[in-house]
């Protein structure tokens, strides 16, 4: 079967070669042409094929030429959230938050490399010995990371985090148990009240989804500038400017990083600046933006908890190379950041918001934090390992309610009552 596929593939490329890379050709027209030529080529083969084998060969070859080879069916499957290729013959999937082995493989390393090249070349990126790692995205917004030898010891590795075509809403997060109706109303008021928010959590905890939901609360009449490494945010507002960073070219020049974009965004008259992820010295510029009147800015950051979020912010500001005393940095953080929304991915694959924490003020050399809502895990887990806990109010009223009042946003005091379920 593999030999037949190889022969058909070669014949197809001979007949259709120039059309496959014709930028003017419509995708549907190309799809129809490939399938028509495939039918002719298969009919001309000496080997008789059953209708099921014929359908399978047709599907696999068209996936290879028009899509991304053996992983194409998984990219179409709505139940699969992540596709991980460890090497050409080892593919894993994330389904419902759990890892499973995929019943598929690439023919060899060269086949996998062709697929990686096809993905990255479409958006003007490259992957070769001089730059063996690449971050890219598919046309639908799915996030792609590829690492090739010599960095990947066992063969090229490809990771695709799929992008929801229909982005989750705040009501969806309530339905899944990530939020409660009270915390949804509270976060809605915080965003409308122009608080500066950091969404923190580990890899795959759902930070970008939460950032998308929070940004959906921004009023329609505000100008939003989004800054990302790979454009993923799907904002429904009318007045949005999307910026994306750019890696260096073959000569090692022309790189535009997040830090440059944050600086530039300040000249674009933004009402809100949304940064997909702060992971380096751009933290200093983000703090400056929050402290220079751009209230209501939102960003994400990797961390283990609310306290750790501030420590990481501090470390990243120091990466800017400024010889700033730690106390000065902490004062900047305490005055800039109002709220930390921390998200955790549980063992059962569910993603829950575990802390909604107010950043208060400096006391001595320490920034004081106050939890407004905390995930109560005292109920433990059910027989299948699903977390039974939920977000509960601590009963404390945040100090930033006064700041929200300046933006003409008020909150029902009963949101903070501990006995409400």
């Amino acid at each position: 079967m593999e030999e037949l596929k190889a022969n058909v593939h070669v014949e197809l490329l001979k007949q259709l070669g120039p059309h496959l890379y014709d930028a003017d050709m419509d995708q549907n027209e190309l799809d129809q042409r490939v399938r028509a030529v495939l039918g002719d080529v298969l009919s001309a083969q000496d080997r008789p094929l059953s209708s099921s084998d014929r359908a399978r060969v047709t599907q696999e070859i068209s996936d290879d030429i028009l899509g991304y080879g053996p992983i194409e069916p998984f990219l179409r499957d709505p139940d699969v959230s992540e596709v991980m290729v460890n090497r050409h013959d080892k593919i894993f999937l994330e389904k419902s938050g759990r890892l499973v082995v995929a019943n598929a493989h690439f023919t060899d390393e060269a086949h996998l490399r062709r697929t990686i090249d096809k993905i990255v070349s479409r958006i003007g990126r490259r992957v070769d010995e001089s730059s063996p790692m690449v971050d890219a995205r598919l046309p639908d917004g799915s996030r792609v990371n590829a690492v090739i030898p010599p960095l990947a010891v066992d063969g090229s590795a490809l990771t695709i985090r799929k992008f929801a075509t229909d982005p989750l809403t705040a009501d969806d997060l309530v339905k899944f148990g990530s939020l409660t109706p009270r915390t949804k109303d509270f976060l809605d008021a915080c965003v409308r009240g122009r608080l500066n928010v950091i969404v923190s959590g580990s890899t795959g905890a759902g930070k970008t989804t939460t950032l998308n939901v929070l940004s959906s609360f921004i009023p329609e009449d505000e100008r939003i500038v989004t800054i990302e490494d790979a454009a993923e945010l799907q904002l429904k507002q009318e007045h949005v400017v999307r910026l994306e960073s750019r890696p260096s070219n073959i000569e090692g020049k022309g790189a535009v990083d997040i830090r440059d974009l944050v600086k530039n965004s300040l000249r674009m008259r933004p009402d809100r600046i949304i940064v997909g992820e702060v992971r380096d010295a751009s933290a200093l510029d983000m703090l400056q933006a929050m402290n220079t009147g751009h209230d209501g800015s939102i960003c994400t950051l990797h961390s283990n908890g609310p306290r750790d979020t501030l420590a990481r912010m501090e470390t990243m500001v120091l990466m800017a190379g400024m010889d700033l005393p730690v106390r000065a940095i902490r004062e900047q953080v305490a005055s800039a950041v109002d709220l930390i929304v921390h998200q955790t991915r549980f063992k059962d694959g569910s993603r829950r918001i575990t802390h909604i924490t107010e950043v208060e003020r400096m006391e001595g050399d320490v920034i004081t934090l106050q939890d407004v809502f905390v995930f109560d895990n005292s109920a433990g887990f059910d027989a299948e390992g699903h977390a039974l806990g939920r977000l509960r109010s601590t009963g404390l009223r945040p100090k930033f309610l006064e700041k929200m009042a300046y933006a003409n946003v008020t909150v029902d005091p009963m949101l903070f009552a501990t006995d409400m379920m």
Side-chain angles (χ1 to χ4, degrees):
M1 192 63 80
E2 290 299 326
E3 188 185 335
L4 173 69
K5 271 171 59 182
N7 293 342
V8 171
H9 207 148
V10 170
E11 188 58 39
L12 191 67
L13 288 173
K14 270 188 203 165
Q15 294 193 31
L16 270 183
H19 299 297
L20 294 175
Y21 303 100
D22 185 355
D24 299 327
M25 182 171 277
D26 177 58
Q27 189 63 37
N28 290 334
E29 188 187 338
L30 180 62
D31 194 20
Q32 285 167 4
R33 273 219 185 165
V34 166
R35 287 181 183 277
V37 174
L38 247 177
D40 296 343
V41 171
L42 278 172
S43 303
Q45 293 292 317
D46 302 333
R47 213 178 126 179
L49 281 176
S50 68
S51 57
S52 61
D53 281 349
R54 188 189 178 96
R56 201 181 99 215
V57 170
T58 303
Q59 187 61 53
E60 285 179 9
I61 292 177
S62 59
D63 279 349
D64 218 18
I65 287 180
L66 297 166
Y68 303 112
I71 60 173
E72 183 67 27
F74 308 125
L75 296 177
R76 288 196 295 260
D77 185 348
D79 294 333
V80 175
S81 54
E82 200 145 351
V83 178
M84 292 150 276
V85 182
N86 291 4
R87 58 175 199 236
H88 75 271
D89 57 349
K90 260 197 185 163
I91 302 175
F92 290 85
L93 310 172
E94 185 187 88
K95 277 188 168 187
S96 308
R98 297 185 184 266
L99 292 180
V100 294
V101 180
N103 183 23
H105 60 85
F106 287 88
T107 312
D108 51 23
E109 172 67 15
H111 186 196
L112 174 54
R113 281 293 295 275
R114 281 199 308 275
T115 304
I116 292 173
D117 287 336
K118 182 191 278 191
I119 291 171
V120 299
S121 62
R122 284 185 177 176
I123 59 161
R125 304 260 168 118
R126 65 195 171 83
V127 59
D128 51 36
E129 267 65 36
S130 63
S131 65
M133 290 190 296
V134 68
D135 263 325
R137 59 184 163 81
L138 298 181
D140 69 353
S142 296
R143 191 190 298 177
V144 178
N145 178 271
V147 187
I148 64 167
L151 299 189
V153 179
D154 297 325
S156 301
L158 174 67
T159 312
I160 301 176
R161 181 171 300 168
K162 282 173 62 183
F163 198 46
T165 45
D166 187 17
L168 296 177
T169 63
D171 291 330
D172 290 327
L173 293 194
V174 171
K175 193 168 72 183
F176 297 147
S178 295
L179 280 173
T180 61
R182 278 202 290 162
T183 48
K184 183 193 93 166
D185 294 342
F186 177 65
L187 291 175
D188 184 353
C190 289
V191 172
R192 285 186 293 108
R194 302 189 66 82
L195 298 186
N196 292 318
V197 183
I198 295 180
V199 180
S200 62
S202 58
T203 302
K207 296 187 298 296
T208 305
T209 300
T210 301
L211 182 61
N212 237 338
V213 167
L214 291 181
S215 58
S216 71
F217 299 142
I218 298 173
E220 286 283 349
D221 60 349
E222 295 188 19
R223 177 173 167 83
I224 306 166
V225 177
T226 70
I227 298 167
E228 299 170 87
D229 264 333
E232 291 180 286
L233 292 173
Q234 294 173 295
L235 273 66
K236 294 282 187 272
Q237 288 86 342
E238 191 70 34
H239 201 156
V240 179
V241 180
R242 301 169 75 207
L243 305 178
E244 187 176 56
S245 64
R246 187 180 76 178
S248 54
N249 60 16
I250 292 175
E251 292 144 13
K253 296 176 183 168
V256 179
D257 59 24
I258 295 280
R259 188 167 190 198
D260 298 324
L261 294 176
V262 172
K263 282 181 187 168
N264 185 74
S265 70
L266 298 176
R267 305 184 189 104
M268 297 174 69
R269 197 241 169 253
D271 286 310
R272 311 261 184 164
I273 299 170
I274 297 179
V275 179
E277 188 184 326
V278 175
R279 61 162 74 91
D280 52 22
S282 60
L284 177 60
D285 300 289
M286 192 68 203
L287 280 182
Q288 298 288 16
M290 289 174 170
N291 267 330
T292 50
H294 296 91
D295 286 335
S297 298
I298 313 172
C299 64
T300 73
L301 183 150
H302 280 86
S303 81
N304 298 326
R307 174 65 59 190
D308 189 45
T309 299
L310 299 183
R312 282 216 64 217
M313 196 78 163
E314 213 172 282
T315 306
M316 290 189 289
V317 170
L318 290 169
M319 287 164 71
M322 305 278 184
D323 197 12
L324 294 169
V326 170
R327 183 178 171 84
I329 297 171
R330 286 182 183 166
E331 282 176 346
Q332 286 275 301
V333 172
S335 64
V337 182
D338 297 304
L339 188 69
I340 296 171
V341 178
H342 186 73
Q343 193 142 354
T344 302
R345 178 181 173 159
F346 285 94
K347 197 73 182 160
D348 63 0
S350 65
R351 297 159 170 91
R352 308 284 185 93
I353 290 171
T354 55
H355 293 79
I356 297 178
T357 304
E358 178 188 16
V359 180
E360 285 199 301
R361 60 187 181 280
M362 290 285 289
E363 278 187 12
D365 284 340
V366 180
I367 302 172
T368 56
L369 297 177
Q370 175 177 288
D371 291 329
V372 184
F373 293 92
V374 177
F375 189 81
D376 174 15
N377 206 19
S378 56
F381 299 86
D382 67 11
E384 292 171 4
H386 299 305
L388 297 172
R390 49 174 288 154
L391 270 174
R392 293 191 187 279
S393 170
T394 58
L396 299 170
R397 284 169 58 98
K399 309 277 191 307
F400 54 57
L401 293 179
E402 292 173 21
K403 180 177 176 180
M404 290 163 64
Y406 282 118
N408 195 25
V409 174
T410 53
V411 176
D412 179 2
M414 290 306 290
L415 281 180
F416 309 112
T418 51
D419 56 345
M420 275 185 67
M421 291 295 286

